[in-house]
Amino acid sequence: MASVNPFNLSDSEEEAERRPNETIGTQRSPRDGAPRPSPGNPFSPPADAEPPTLMLSSNRTSPSGEGSGSIAATSAMAGTAETRISVDGIAAQLIRDQYILTALEFHAELLEAGRELPRLRDYFSNPGNFERQSGTPPAKDQVLGPGGPIHRAGSISTLDSLDFARYSDDGNRESDERVAVLEFELRKAKETIQALRANLTQAAESEGPSQERKNFKSSPEIQEPIRPLEKRALNFLVNEYLLKNECKLSSITFSDENDDQDFELWDDVGLNTPKPPDLLMLYRNCGTPLPSPRDMVDVSVGVEFTDLPGNCTAQDPPKKLDLSHQQQKEVIQELEYQISLLNNEKQSLAEQIRKLQSEIQTLKRTVSSPLPAILDMGSQKTSSSDSSSSITTTTSSTNPLSVSSTDNNQYLDIRGVSEPETKPDPSTTVTHPQSLNTLKSRPPVQFAQPNRKLSPAFQQALLSFCRMCSDSRLGAEVSRIADSEESVLLMLGRCLPHIVPNVLLAKREELIPLILCTACLHPEPKERDQLLHILFNLIKRPDDEQRQMILTGCVAFARHVGPTRVEAELLPQCWEQINHKYPERRLLVAESCGALAPYLPKEIRSSLVLSMLQQMLAEDKADMVREAVIKSLGIIMGYIDDSDKYSQGFELMLLSLGDPSERVVGAVHQVFIPAFAAWTTELGTLQSSLIPSLLARIEKLLMQGEHALDEHKLHMFLSGLQSLIPPLFAVVLQNAPFTSKAKLNGEIPTIEVTRFPRPASPLQDVATIIGSREMLSALLLLYDYQLENEGTTGWDSLLWVVNQLLPQLIEIVGRINVTSSTCVHEFSRFFWRLCRTFGKIFTNTKVKPQFQEILRLSEENVDTSTGNDILTKATVPIYATGVLTCYNQDEDRKLLVGFLEDVMTTLSLSHAPLDSLKAAFVELGANPVYHELLLTVLWYGVVHTSALVRCTAARMFELLVKGVNETLVAQRVVPALITLSSDPEISVRISTIPAFGTIMETVTQKELLERVKMQLASFLEDPQYQDQHSLHMEIIRTFGRVGPNAEPRFRDEFVLPHLHKLALANNGQAVESKRIDIATQLFEAYSALSCCFISEEVMVNHFLPGLRCLRADMEQLSPEHEVILSSMIKECEIKVENRGMADAQGSMSIASSLVGEDAKTKFLSKMGQLTTSGAMLANVFQRKK
């Protein structure tokens, strides 16, 4: 039947007029131009009839779907050609007939297709079309027209409001209307998702070509290839079978070979795919075709009478089976197979009955007087016995519904139905003595018997219509009620494996108490192992809270069962998942090892568990897993007592300190090192072995890397040494002469908050190591008194620190490279923590004297020819920043100022390198607290009588300016520099130029910048400096360093013009050595400034002329530089010619493009269209100093 697509319509009636061949069957009225039905059309309505209504479904359907069925049918019956109806006509008809929702969906689909219709747009954009005329509902026969009395739709429901949020006059109804729209969209989204799921499943289940299917059906010996969905389903069932039958290794291997499938989630097999029974059920029902889930209908659920076991009567005669001879043979074979299975089961049950009877006879002999325990349940006769409380046997040969139990008769069977005519023989009932009280306290259950004379067979047949289901696993569990604690545990052990997979993943932790209690008390080891396996596999990827819950349960289990069962039952579960593919599961294993450590046998704790954690630390790639491993290793170190494991613990500490992850290293300092140090303290090897081993490795590292020191390893060893300071101080206190005198009686002062550095964790808190803050406070009082009044005689632990540790550390400090800011900072922090931990008295009396003896700062020791060698080492900055800054009182600050002044004076007068002083200024300048102090030291140098000291002070200002706030720069720095810039010595004036340049680079105050600019201009324009070669070199070097980061106006108006002048003046330089020096510095400066954005005027007037002057010098002095300069000039000229295009696209970069010679400028030449400010871009390409 031909169909018409109602949406394949012209956009307007004019388009319909342009297609006269498609309007057969209609005629135009000469009066109004409206289409008139053809007279020959038998289906045309009369002239006075109402306009036809076009029924459109309110649900969006496919254009070729059912929505166009009526139109297609009408078109076919008419027998005419396809009639195209205008879109506007359809819209008018829908609005006229008040199909508002259909018109709205029609409008939405037209919008999606990009064909907006003015009629619908105007209609839905006008809220007046949805206003109610009156407050009364319309009458039933009232005709609804446009703008009629329909419910007012809020503006949120109009399309314009959805798009542009206009006409928002809803008031309080806006939220309700919005909810309605969102519900509609949600319903549509759910329908779309359901359709996609169905299509995906159908595509996965699609069979091969029809011809192949015919071949497979016609030739049964040719097996059809397995489809992907079938393969995934069979893989899931096979894996499930292996797990249920304790083939765990086979299951793991099978999972690895099929790593593209998730065997823990059936939905991974296919969407909308019902799960079939397990392999065992499929095997048992292989001869009986299972009903397809797709053929099932939701009806009332019941059990057919023929399905109940033991039914001996039938309501209706069985239907005759219409089976072929072959099918009948197959049915007979299947029944015979089932009979053989039942016979085997019967034999096994008979054997169990014989064993039980022999046990009963044995128990009879041990009981003096048998006590009957009868539970009469009316028409049901049951026998119950508990292996731990009572054993009762009842033989019933006349009950067809009784099922032989395989659970040692530990349940009340409610399935058996028989007449209570015969009473049980007391001789067949035997009860354990310990269960007598339980049975006596439980009253027998009695049921009222009707006064009827029904035959037992009739009564049994009558009761069979109760539709009880007991032939399934769940039915068997439901029909038996446990009557003892052990039977409850047995039931939970059987049911939990079936319950867990059907519980939502987000709620499975609710099962943890049930699983743990059952695993604790279950008598069967195999069932306990299965339950613990379920516990560790309960959640696919447990989060932190879920892991904590599982760990809490494991600890409770361990406390309850003891170390032997923890080793035998819990540890195998951890070992099994040590290489699990999900890091959350491996994380659970790592955390479990630490949580279970206190409850394991000590030999297992120091061997198996330690080896497991060591393996995970070395092999696991997840940072969070290694972090948990480190924490668990720390717990192990807190419980280990095998001294032979010390070397293994030390290697683990070094291995973990070298871990690339910061969170792992943090865990080492927080947990592992404090625990390991506590163990070495008990062994007595903290001072004799652990700390000396780290110091030896630091010394070896310094010897091997004199030219290229491995700073990462140095930081690793030094940070480990720093974490050992709190336990070292605790050892000093605990082994002091006054330790036995410490008493907690009386009022003990509290410890100051700033007495100790902030610990990285509670394990590094000295109070935690000692035992309590009260004991630590008492010991600190005695410690300070002992140091101040009685000395260290007989105090071996403190004498080791003073006589061995400190001298070795000071010697190591003197050997490190002073230019390595990282090494200086690390050692400074170490000495600062050491001095703060051991206290002010120890620092003043033991640490400072040893440094002062080595430094020997005095006027008579100043050698102007060679200088004091120790003052050029890292000892100076480390002593200044690590020791002298520990305490911030006035005398401490005065000592620090005096030390820095002496060092500056000594180094200046001896013409020694200033690296050590610079390192001290950099380290101290990072803390704003010391800015005033450093400025005081520099002012001492400004007013010093020696020009060498004043030069040094000017150089130091350059380092200090970057970290000091602008107020201090304006008030303290600039006045001092201006004072030095007018110094009689030219060398002092030249020394101020780098500091002035740094101010131009970092300061933003205009007044301050103008003062500095004027001072630099005086250096360049004053005639007395025209022949100062060193001054010009310093200015050019400073311009090249600060120019890219300076203010653009300063760069364009001051730096580039003066560089041009210097380049032009250098062309006339007669001394060749000076000329090459200036040319080289100019080349470096121009290379750095080429990264900046420069205006066209400055580039034409100063930058290009300066480059040409420099090229003239390089042609004679350095041809290789001349080639580069020529390329730079050529590129700049091209940029100038194309300036018009560049201006339209944004600021232009002056970056040069060199082929194979300067990769940096070649890259920058591609960035001419960037609009980034020059200062920001220059930071990226700033040359390294």
Side-chain angles (χ1 to χ4, degrees), residues 324-336:
S324 63
H325 182 67
Q326 180 65 25
Q327 291 175 335
Q328 290 177 355
K329 283 186 176 180
E330 293 177 355
V331 171
I332 292 173
Q333 292 177 357
E334 175 64 19
L335 293 176
E336 289 177 350

Side-chain angles (χ1 to χ4, degrees), residues 857 884 892-905 933 937 940:
L857 285 174
L884 297 181
D892 302 308
R893 297 176 68 88
K894 290 179 181 179
L895 184 61
L896 177 59
V897 170
F899 173 73
L900 292 176
E901 291 174 352
D902 292 343
V903 170
M904 182 171 61
T905 303
L933 184 146
V937 174
Y940 167 82

Side-chain angles (χ1 to χ4, degrees), residues 614-635:
Q614 187 174 5
Q615 176 183 344
M616 296 182 72
L617 178 63
E619 298 177 359
D620 206 292
K621 297 180 180 179
D623 295 349
M624 62 179 181
V625 176
R626 298 199 306 275
E627 179 186 14
V629 167
I630 289 298
K631 293 179 180 179
S632 295
L633 281 172
I635 298 174

Side-chain angles (χ1 to χ4, degrees), residues 9-205:
L9 308 174
S10 59
D11 292 341
S12 62
E13 294 181 357
E14 287 78 3
E15 185 177 350
E17 292 174 359
R18 291 195 298 269
R19 301 179 182 177
N21 296 331
E22 299 180 4
T23 58
I24 300 175
T26 62
Q27 293 181 354
R28 289 278 180 180
S29 173
R31 292 176 299 175
D32 54 7
R36 177 177 297 177
S38 174
N41 190 350
F43 296 96
S44 62
D48 56 353
E50 294 181 1
T53 301
L54 180 61
M55 303 297 292
L56 293 178
S57 172
S58 62
N59 292 329
R60 298 182 183 178
T61 59
S62 174
S64 59
E66 298 176 1
S68 58
S70 61
I71 301 176
T74 305
S75 175
M77 287 188 297
T80 62
E82 177 179 346
T83 302
R84 300 183 64 84
I85 308 173
S86 67
V87 177
D88 191 72
I90 294 176
Q93 184 71 23
L94 290 174
I95 294 174
R96 183 163 53 252
D97 294 340
Q98 287 296 295
Y99 293 108
I100 304 301
L101 288 178
T102 307
L104 178 60
E105 292 202 15
F106 187 30
H107 184 36
E109 292 202 358
L110 288 177
L111 281 179
E112 291 175 0
R115 300 164 60 189
E116 185 179 18
L117 196 61
R119 181 188 298 272
L120 292 176
R121 179 195 62 201
D122 297 340
Y123 181 80
F124 288 109
S125 299
N126 185 9
N129 293 329
F130 306 97
E131 295 285 350
R132 180 180 294 277
Q133 299 295 335
S134 62
T136 58
K140 293 183 178 179
D141 56 349
Q142 184 178 355
V143 179
L144 300 176
I150 65 176
H151 286 286
R152 175 179 181 269
S155 63
I156 197 68
S157 300
T158 64
L159 196 72
D160 280 352
S161 298
L162 285 174
D163 291 342
F164 309 107
R166 299 184 305 190
Y167 304 105
S168 297
D169 55 349
D170 298 333
N172 295 330
R173 294 186 55 192
E174 180 176 354
S175 60
D176 297 338
E177 298 292 344
R178 181 62 176 165
V179 169
V181 172
L182 292 176
E183 289 178 350
F184 172 77
E185 294 177 353
L186 178 61
R187 185 171 69 255
K188 286 296 181 184
K190 288 183 177 179
E191 291 173 0
T192 304
I193 292 173
Q194 189 64 25
L196 290 174
R197 289 168 65 96
N199 291 339
L200 183 59
T201 303
Q202 183 178 3
E205 293 178 344

Side-chain angles (χ1 to χ4, degrees), residues 360-485:
I360 291 171
Q361 296 298 329
T362 303
L363 292 172
K364 280 183 178 180
R365 301 188 188 97
T366 60
V367 179
S368 58
S369 59
L371 298 175
I374 303 171
L375 296 177
D376 189 0
M377 299 181 65
S379 63
Q380 300 179 0
K381 179 172 63 179
T382 63
S383 58
S384 171
S385 65
D386 188 357
S387 61
S388 63
S389 60
S390 63
I391 299 178
T392 308
T393 59
T394 304
T395 305
S396 175
S397 59
T398 61
N399 186 1
L401 288 180
S402 66
V403 179
S404 300
S405 175
T406 60
D407 52 14
N408 299 331
N409 293 332
Q410 294 173 348
Y411 295 88
L412 301 178
D413 198 337
I414 65 172
R415 294 174 293 180
V417 180
S418 62
E419 279 294 312
E421 295 179 353
T422 61
K423 297 182 179 180
D425 187 3
S427 62
T428 63
T429 303
V430 181
T431 306
H432 281 295
Q434 59 266 29
S435 64
L436 295 180
N437 295 332
T438 303
L439 291 179
K440 288 180 180 180
S441 62
R442 182 184 304 165
V445 182
Q446 300 290 340
F447 297 94
Q449 298 296 328
N451 189 15
R452 299 292 302 277
K453 296 182 179 180
L454 299 177
S455 66
F458 184 84
Q459 187 179 19
Q460 179 179 345
L462 183 63
L463 292 175
S464 65
F465 284 91
C466 292
R467 292 182 174 272
M468 292 184 297
C469 177
S470 59
D471 57 344
S472 64
R473 178 195 61 81
L474 184 59
E477 296 292 348
V478 172
S479 63
R480 293 179 294 182
I481 297 178
D483 65 340
S484 66
E485 293 83 355

Side-chain angles (χ1 to χ4, degrees), residues 627 630-631 662-673:
E627 179 186 14
I630 289 298
K631 293 179 180 179
E662 292 184 2
R663 60 189 300 178
V664 176
V665 177
V668 176
H669 293 295
Q670 294 171 8
V671 182
F672 184 82
I673 291 182

